[in-house]
Amino acid sequence: MERERVELQLATSKFSSLVGTSIFNVFINVWVIDTFGSARVLSHVLSIAGVSSLLFSFLGATISKKLYFIKAIRYADGLSAIFCLIADVLLLTTNYRLPILLALVFTLNMNVAMTGPSLKRLIGIAVSKDRIIGFNAVISTGTETIKVVMPMLTTFLYTNHWLSLIGTITLNGISFFISFFIYPWHLV
């Protein structure tokens, strides 16, 4: 019973942050092209994301080997939620949209790169050996479903003006807060 609750918390935590991040990434790409009409600006956004992932994947692998790796996952989600809220405030009070978005893209991709290896290690520890294949199948299927559904849904919401820049960043921040709070506290 306890292991099943931990599995549900881990899956919910992963999927909530993944949904928010997927919506954010698709929205930013569509918004940049629509707002700036420039493939060059989009290439800067994509490059910033790639550089962040490359630089921090090494740190993520190192953290996953440390005793505090479980805390690192939780706090990365909490900090990402706070960064989204700070970005919202800055976007509402300044005219520096692109630099703020580039910094946010860098920061959020840093989170993904740093927590990925630790989450894989945690699954190996928290999920019983006889259930790990099924759990990983659920995670993989859910992840791929999100990767297929979220771009279509986000583009639909954007083109119908039901999703704004601030709304998207807020939604992403909420998804990180959900991940932070649902995360199995007793494992920390």
Side-chain angles (χ1 to χ4, degrees), residues 83-99:
F83 289 144
C84 286
L85 296 178
I86 291 169
D88 276 347
V89 170
L90 291 173
L91 287 168
L92 289 169
T93 58
T94 69
N95 291 324
Y96 300 109
R97 291 184 305 179
L98 190 57

Side-chain angles (χ1 to χ4, degrees), residues 42 49 56 71-72 74 78 92 132 167 181 188:
L42 179 61
F56 289 96
K71 287 182 182 178
R74 286 198 68 238
L92 289 169
I132 201 158
F181 286 114
V188 176

Side-chain angles (χ1 to χ4, degrees), residues 1-187:
M1 184 71 158
E2 175 64 22
R3 288 233 183 223
E4 290 173 4
R5 187 173 65 101
V6 169
E7 291 172 14
L8 181 61
Q9 287 174 307
L10 287 172
T12 304
S13 179
K14 170 144 178 74
F15 291 144
S16 68
S17 65
L18 183 60
V19 164
T21 300
S22 297
I23 291 170
F24 173 78
N25 286 336
V26 171
F27 180 90
I28 292 302
N29 293 340
V30 173
W31 182 85
V32 163
I33 290 293
D34 195 33
T35 301
F36 297 102
S38 170
R40 192 174 117 242
V41 174
L42 179 61
S43 73
H44 292 311
V45 172
L46 295 173
S47 295
I48 290 289
V51 166
S52 177
S53 295
L54 176 66
L55 292 175
F56 289 96
S57 62
F58 297 115
L59 181 59
T62 302
I63 289 172
S64 72
K65 297 174 187 171
K66 303 294 182 188
L67 292 175
Y68 57 82
F69 79 98
I70 296 173
K71 287 182 182 178
I73 298 171
R74 286 198 68 238
Y75 294 126
D77 282 344
L79 286 172
S80 292
I82 291 167
F83 289 144
C84 286
L85 296 178
I86 291 169
D88 276 347
V89 170
L90 291 173
L91 287 168
L92 289 169
T93 58
T94 69
N95 291 324
Y96 300 109
R97 291 184 305 179
L98 190 57
I100 293 166
L101 289 176
L102 291 175
L104 188 60
V105 165
F106 185 86
T107 304
L108 297 181
N109 277 282
M110 177 178 65
N111 171 343
V112 172
M114 285 183 16
T115 59
S118 292
L119 186 60
K120 287 179 183 172
R121 179 175 175 211
L122 178 59
I123 288 170
I125 293 169
V127 178
S128 63
K129 302 298 179 209
D130 60 323
R131 295 175 55 92
I132 201 158
I133 292 174
F135 184 80
N136 282 335
V138 168
I139 294 294
S140 294
T141 302
T143 299
E144 294 308 313
T145 302
I146 289 168
K147 286 180 181 177
V148 170
V149 171
M150 287 302 113
M152 293 184 296
L153 179 62
T154 303
T155 304
F156 173 79
L157 293 172
Y158 179 79
T159 56
N160 287 294
H161 307 287
W162 294 337
L163 200 55
S164 67
L165 178 61
I166 300 295
T168 301
I169 295 170
T170 301
L171 182 64
N172 198 17
I174 290 169
S175 76
F176 282 118
F177 271 127
I178 291 169
S179 180
F180 176 81
F181 286 114
I182 288 181
Y183 196 83
W185 283 78
H186 65 285
L187 295 177

